[in-house]
Amino acid sequence: MNFDPKNYRIDASEKIRGEIRYTNDLKIPGLWQSITIRSPYPRAKILEIQFDSEFDWNTVTVVTASDIPNNYVAMLENDMPYLASKIVNYVGEPVALITAPDKNLLERASNFLHVIYEPLSYLTNMLDSEKSEVLIFSNNNIFKEIKIEKGDLEKIKQNNYKKVEIEVHTGFQEHLYLEPQCVIAIPEKDRVVIRGSLQCPYYVKNAVETMFDGKKHITVIHAPTGGAFGGKEDYPSLIAGHAALLAVKSGHPVAVTLDRFEDIQYTPKRHPSYHHEVAYVDKNGKIQGLEIQMYLNGGAYCTLSQVVLARAALTVTGCYYVPNVRIHAKAVATNIVPSGAFRGFGGPQAVFAIEMLMEKIACVLDLSPKKVREINLISKGQETATGQILKYSVSSQEVFEDVISRSDFDNKYRQYKEWNHPILEKLIEDRFPKNKNGGVLKGIGISASVHGAGFTGVGENKIKGVVRLELEQDGAITVYSAQTEMGQGQQTAFQKILSEALHIKRKQIKIAEVNTDVVPDSGPTVASRSTMVVGSLLVEAAKEIVEKLKLKLKNDFGVEFQYRQGYFYRDGHILSFTDAANEFGGFSVEKQYSHPSFIKFDETTWKGDAYPVFSWAAAVAEIEVDPITFQIKVTRYYTTHDIGKAINYDQAVAQIEGGSLQGIGYALYEKITEKDGLFDITGFSDYIIPSFMETPEFHIKILENPYPFGPFGAKGLGELPNVGSAPAIISALWMIFESEFNKIPVLPEDLHSIFLHINKRNYYES
Ligand code: MTE
Ligand code: MOS
């Protein structure tokens, strides 16, 4: 990628020089450290908490459930306690907190605090959850159930269409942000100041204020955040509460810092999923009917599972037009760490499943996987499963055609099949070829993916995000919003949007620190919404600044001015934006978001406009498989993304690379095995993510099919690249082995054992 200097990132210099101060780097006088006492059981009764009298408890401060005014983390269901009081529901659930001036004392104190439990039977398999006698949530363990229906599926079933069926499983995924979870709470008289690594400052403020029953004013300051990927969407509300409780009780500033082990073991992961999909297809591979059952494993508490499920259910038909469809989706409870938001928010699971169904249709009907996708791609004017008619910026077909032609898919598909043939013959005969003479197996796979930009349904109308711009007399503009920078380039995008809207220099635009006492609530930094939704407010606000300045000029000069290219004009007179600001600056404007009026969605019937607009992508992955070690390597990765408009081109490309790589990890490396509610991973050494060695040659193209209500046409980008990469890679495995792959991740040992079951061609029954 050729870096264009005008695309520099605001935060780059400070980060590259190591000058930026993350939460744990802050030198706060009198800061106490803390330790969290956690449940060792997946489910147990808490009988007693014993304080051993050998220890001098006056030297530390302990917090238990009885210290908490409202003991629940305010979120969707309010079912998760800050500290368990009677029952623990997952391994690692916080039971007590201790803070002390130094770590040795903390360690000692924790050895003298004994929690007495009575272990209970527990539940970890999501498919057993509904029927289980172990009740974790409500009377059926269902956090949320969604039914979407369109057309007449029963009628389609009566016809003589081919029935193609698949079961698909996806695993956990850990965010592995570089900076583990960390917050600091500083107590004041009636207020607690919280500083931390987080995505949604107002979520934290609301949760901690609710916890204190409104008796404390909570100020949340967003500290530089070393990556989040959805993992700092809800979890900081829990540990900020812990830090605040300890700070208030001890009277000292307190840090809650998770080390890598705690972070990887006890914080939310991507929801594992199970799908059962049945398609009714005609002989050309066109889907006439589709029936989908989906489960997400939500873990012990609801947190965000209901909305993750909504996005998954609304994405599960992928990029395809399906005339008759029935979707039945459930998020269920188990005695595992609560699952949470992760880039794509249910989309990667849903798209993986439908893409594997496409592969299976191609196999059963002996059609090319490309053709089957092509014939089913949705287009402008068609209806989605919720009856949403796609009006704006629909590029499902363009991105697909583009990536097929740029990757030379058809030729390579044929060539690689021929190349593989003798190697496979030998492999199937001998199980292990005697030497490497046959070379590596070569695969090429494809996927189509989609991401609804912004909040689901009319969610944005509930949030009603607000931004404020302040124009100084020196011509500088400061942006006040609650959007947070976590590496995705939000600050830079905001600066570029405003400099473009006003035709002024980027340097003139400053981004205010995100402090809830100072910035308005522009909504959370999730759902790839900052650029599209909040960015559109910035353009509106910029227009209002110009109008205000024009009005002041008119009052002064008695004539109407025009504003063009950074200058105010009238006959014979010209003033730059800065000149005008020098004269009339020193005011602020505020803008509140409301959805374009055509967007209508009913959350009870699941009908209507699920998202204001969609971003589209297609990907082609080339892989090599070593026939001896079964190692899989992605060698080239082509993807075409329609994001409406790339506000900062270099950063958009970087998002696509990073998101795609996370999908490569999801498909091939990132395996978490859960046993008795315990994860088998401890840190970077045994949780393997793609490094530079595993990074393919990227061939990225951005299409700009503008969305009329986004800033300069921009739609959401941040999550989309993560949605389509796993299915493109696994599609390449189908191509090589002509066999069903319905589970991720696929590690070499998995591939080897799948291979042992492949004996001959034509594995499919019709
Ligand atoms: N990119 C980096 N570098 N770090 C992150 O934490 N989070 C992703 C994505 N890209 C993330 C990232 C997620 S989960 C989302 S929702 C979007 O960025 C949010 O950013 P936006 O609102 O600015 O689009
Ligand atoms: Mo992103 S998963 O919506 O934080």
Side-chain angles (χ1 to χ4, degrees):
M1 156 175 134
N2 291 321
F3 179 71
D4 181 345
K6 75 174 184 299
N7 285 342
Y8 72 92
R9 283 181 62 139
I10 300 184
D11 48 339
S13 161
E14 234 189 337
K15 282 179 177 164
I16 290 168
R17 288 166 202 268
E19 286 165 2
I20 208 154
R21 289 287 163 264
Y22 294 93
T23 310
N24 214 19
D25 302 326
L26 297 174
K27 300 264 178 292
I28 294 182
L31 182 69
W32 283 25
Q33 298 299 324
S34 68
I35 208 165
T36 305
I37 308 299
R38 300 174 183 281
S39 162
Y41 298 104
R43 194 155 192 268
K45 226 184 243 170
I46 300 173
L47 299 178
E48 202 193 342
I49 300 179
Q50 296 175 343
F51 296 85
D52 197 324
S53 56
E54 294 268 296
F55 184 78
D56 178 3
W57 291 100
N58 291 319
T59 56
V60 302
T61 300
V62 180
V63 166
T64 61
S66 60
D67 293 304
I68 310 176
N70 285 324
N71 189 10
Y72 60 88
V73 185
M75 222 171 281
L76 296 168
E77 279 292 335
N78 301 339
D79 58 330
M80 183 163 79
Y82 272 99
L83 292 172
S85 57
K86 294 192 183 74
I87 251 190
V88 284
N89 273 311
Y90 67 93
V91 175
E93 179 162 7
V95 176
L97 308 162
I98 312 176
T99 186
D102 74 80
K103 285 214 161 139
N104 290 338
L105 199 53
L106 263 185
E107 288 289 331
R108 266 172 48 76
S110 67
N111 290 333
F112 286 102
L113 189 148
H114 308 296
V115 185
I116 314 300
Y117 297 95
E118 178 192 317
L120 298 171
S121 56
Y122 56 91
L123 149 74
T124 56
N125 183 336
M126 69 172 133
L127 298 180
D128 295 340
S129 174
E130 278 171 277
K131 284 159 262 137
S132 175
E133 280 176 11
V134 175
L135 270 188
I136 305 167
F137 183 82
S138 179
N139 56 3
N140 55 9
N141 287 334
I142 300 177
F143 288 132
K144 176 101 182 164
E145 183 170 10
I146 295 173
K147 289 179 179 169
I148 302 173
E149 184 140 9
K150 184 183 83 166
D152 189 348
L153 189 70
E154 290 313 311
K155 205 167 129 201
I156 291 296
K157 285 183 181 175
Q158 308 302 312
N159 291 344
N160 263 339
Y161 292 115
K162 187 94 178 166
K163 185 176 167 188
V164 182
E165 196 169 350
I166 194 167
E167 287 184 286
V168 177
H169 307 257
T170 64
F172 288 103
Q173 190 179 17
E174 158 60 26
H175 308 83
L176 219 73
Y177 26 68
L178 281 175
E179 182 203 18
Q181 304 269 0
C182 185
V183 296
I184 286 175
I186 303 163
E188 291 173 6
K189 200 165 153 277
D190 299 312
R191 173 170 103 131
V192 182
V193 179
I194 289 167
R195 234 174 227 281
S197 178
L198 47 92
Q199 283 178 248
C200 313
Y202 275 94
Y203 281 5
V204 174
K205 177 180 165 71
N206 175 48
V208 181
E209 272 177 355
T210 306
M211 181 188 80
F212 283 121
D213 208 12
K215 302 214 167 65
K216 293 267 176 208
H217 175 86
I218 304 296
T219 302
V220 179
I221 300 171
H222 172 252
T225 293
F229 307 109
K232 293 171 184 169
E233 199 168 320
D234 61 300
Y235 197 77
S237 296
L238 177 72
I239 55 172
H242 291 168
L245 287 164
L246 289 170
V248 168
K249 193 164 174 187
S250 70
H252 295 276
V254 174
V256 173
T257 311
L258 273 60
D259 63 19
R260 182 63 65 181
F261 177 81
E262 285 182 291
D263 196 299
I264 207 166
Q265 286 270 322
Y266 310 131
T267 73
K269 319 256 167 283
R270 189 189 292 289
H271 292 74
S273 74
Y274 164 81
H275 310 250
H276 178 215
E277 310 206 342
V278 184
Y280 299 87
V281 291
D282 70 16
K283 62 180 190 312
N284 300 318
K286 198 156 173 53
I287 300 177
Q288 302 298 332
L290 187 57
E291 187 159 22
I292 295 177
Q293 257 191 314
M294 173 204 281
Y295 282 84
L296 294 184
N297 190 339
Y301 296 105
C302 182
T303 70
L304 299 167
S305 287
Q306 298 173 335
V307 279
V308 173
L309 183 77
R311 189 177 272 279
L314 293 167
T315 308
V316 79
T317 50
C319 293
Y320 306 107
Y321 171 68
V322 187
N324 303 285
V325 58
R326 182 182 294 149
I327 298 161
H328 192 174
K330 289 175 195 169
V332 295
T334 55
N335 292 114
I336 300 178
V337 171
S339 301
F342 195 140
R343 203 172 195 172
F345 212 78
Q349 294 95 318
V351 167
F352 181 73
I354 187 83
E355 290 297 293
M356 294 306 101
L357 178 66
M358 290 291 153
E359 291 294 324
K360 186 129 184 196
I361 294 172
C363 271
V364 171
L365 298 184
D366 201 17
L367 294 168
S368 103
K370 182 196 83 174
K371 280 244 167 66
V372 172
R373 287 177 172 85
E374 230 163 33
I375 196 174
N376 286 299
L377 283 175
I378 200 163
S379 56
K380 194 171 167 173
Q382 283 185 318
E383 252 186 21
T384 66
T386 60
Q388 172 168 8
I389 295 169
L390 300 179
K391 291 196 196 82
Y392 298 105
S393 189
V394 188
S395 304
S396 42
Q397 287 163 336
E398 286 84 341
V399 294
F400 195 79
E401 278 161 27
D402 183 78
V403 84
I404 290 285
S405 84
R406 283 194 304 120
S407 63
D408 196 17
F409 182 85
D410 294 324
N411 279 327
K412 285 179 184 163
Y413 192 87
R414 221 180 23 251
Q415 286 164 12
Y416 294 172
K417 281 257 174 194
E418 277 167 29
W419 164 271
N420 291 342
H421 192 75
I423 310 174
L424 273 174
E425 292 283 285
K426 190 151 178 53
L427 253 179
I428 288 166
E429 255 168 51
D430 300 355
R431 286 288 162 80
F432 289 98
K434 305 223 169 22
N435 54 51
K436 258 192 158 177
N437 289 350
V440 293
L441 293 158
K442 296 186 185 185
I444 186 162
I446 187 167
S447 77
S449 54
V450 61
H451 184 262
F455 258 66
T456 301
V458 288
E460 293 291 347
N461 266 358
K462 291 186 192 152
I463 300 173
K464 292 197 171 65
V466 175
V467 296
R468 189 172 74 247
L469 296 184
E470 285 183 9
L471 174 64
E472 309 296 332
Q473 284 205 307
D474 62 0
I477 291 181
T478 308
V479 184
Y480 293 86
S481 90
Q483 299 318 114
T484 52
E485 177 63 56
M486 47 204 193
Q488 85 279 36
Q490 164 269 332
Q491 294 183 331
T492 305
F494 279 16
Q495 198 186 49
K496 287 201 78 170
I497 287 169
L498 280 172
S499 92
E500 195 76 15
L502 291 165
H503 299 280
I504 59 177
K505 293 210 171 71
R506 280 184 60 184
K507 282 202 303 250
Q508 272 173 271
I509 294 146
K510 308 202 159 39
I511 312 288
E513 179 184 61
V514 179
N515 172 330
T516 53
D517 285 353
V518 180
V519 300
D521 186 359
S522 55
T525 303
V526 303
S528 308
R529 64 185 286 281
S530 302
T531 299
M532 182 177 99
V533 175
V534 186
S536 74
L537 286 181
L538 294 180
V539 174
E540 294 294 305
K543 280 188 194 144
E544 191 169 319
I545 285 184
V546 168
E547 289 310 314
K548 281 205 160 153
L549 287 173
K550 271 193 193 165
L551 198 66
K552 293 183 190 228
L553 284 163
K554 188 178 172 188
N555 289 344
D556 220 50
F557 290 83
V559 277
E560 199 80 53
F561 276 72
Q562 298 288 327
Y563 187 68
R564 256 185 293 141
Q565 302 293 323
Y567 291 91
F568 292 91
Y569 292 88
R570 63 147 213 186
D571 317 325
H573 254 95
I574 175 167
L575 277 95
S576 72
F577 180 85
T578 308
D579 294 339
N582 292 159
E583 221 32 60
F584 305 110
F587 62 86
S588 69
V589 301
E590 219 171 66
K591 281 280 166 197
Q592 179 162 45
Y593 185 82
S594 67
H595 254 337
S597 58
F598 69 87
I599 296 166
K600 305 229 155 47
F601 190 72
D602 183 336
E603 266 173 36
T604 51
T605 58
W606 297 90
K607 295 232 174 296
D609 302 307
Y611 295 97
V613 70
F614 295 88
S615 300
W616 307 91
V620 166
E622 289 189 47
I623 67 169
E624 288 180 359
V625 176
D626 185 312
I628 293 172
T629 62
F630 285 86
Q631 245 178 341
I632 311 163
K633 181 162 171 47
V634 183
T635 53
R636 295 190 195 90
Y637 190 83
Y638 298 83
T639 185
T640 304
H641 273 55
D642 165 31
I643 56 168
K645 167 84 191 165
I647 296 294
N648 189 335
Y649 183 84
D650 294 332
Q651 181 58 25
V653 170
Q655 280 289 296
I656 296 173
E657 288 183 353
S660 304
L661 260 184
Q662 261 175 335
I664 291 175
Y666 189 39
L668 297 181
Y669 304 103
E670 300 182 32
K671 188 163 194 159
I672 303 177
T673 307
E674 168 277 320
K675 195 170 179 297
D676 302 323
L678 209 68
F679 297 131
D680 65 343
I681 50 166
T682 62
F684 276 94
S685 58
D686 54 9
Y687 187 68
I688 308 302
I689 58 168
S691 70
F692 268 108
M693 294 297 287
E694 287 77 38
T695 301
E697 202 180 287
F698 277 113
H699 300 264
I700 289 163
K701 186 159 160 189
I702 294 175
L703 290 188
E704 296 181 331
N705 184 353
Y707 168 54
F709 302 93
F712 308 102
K715 303 187 282 188
L717 156 67
E719 292 164 280
L720 177 64
N722 190 224
V723 179
S725 58
I729 291 154
I730 305 301
S731 159
L733 285 175
W734 283 71
M735 179 266 178
I736 296 177
F737 294 101
E738 297 181 359
S739 178
E740 179 168 328
F741 288 85
N742 62 0
K743 205 171 178 178
I744 41 173
V746 182
L747 271 63
E749 56 269 34
D750 303 314
L751 183 55
H752 179 238
S753 74
I754 291 167
F755 176 75
L756 291 181
H757 294 102
I758 303 175
N759 283 308
K760 47 181 171 343
R761 297 298 165 91
N762 271 334
Y763 319 102
Y764 303 99
E765 291 164 30
S766 15

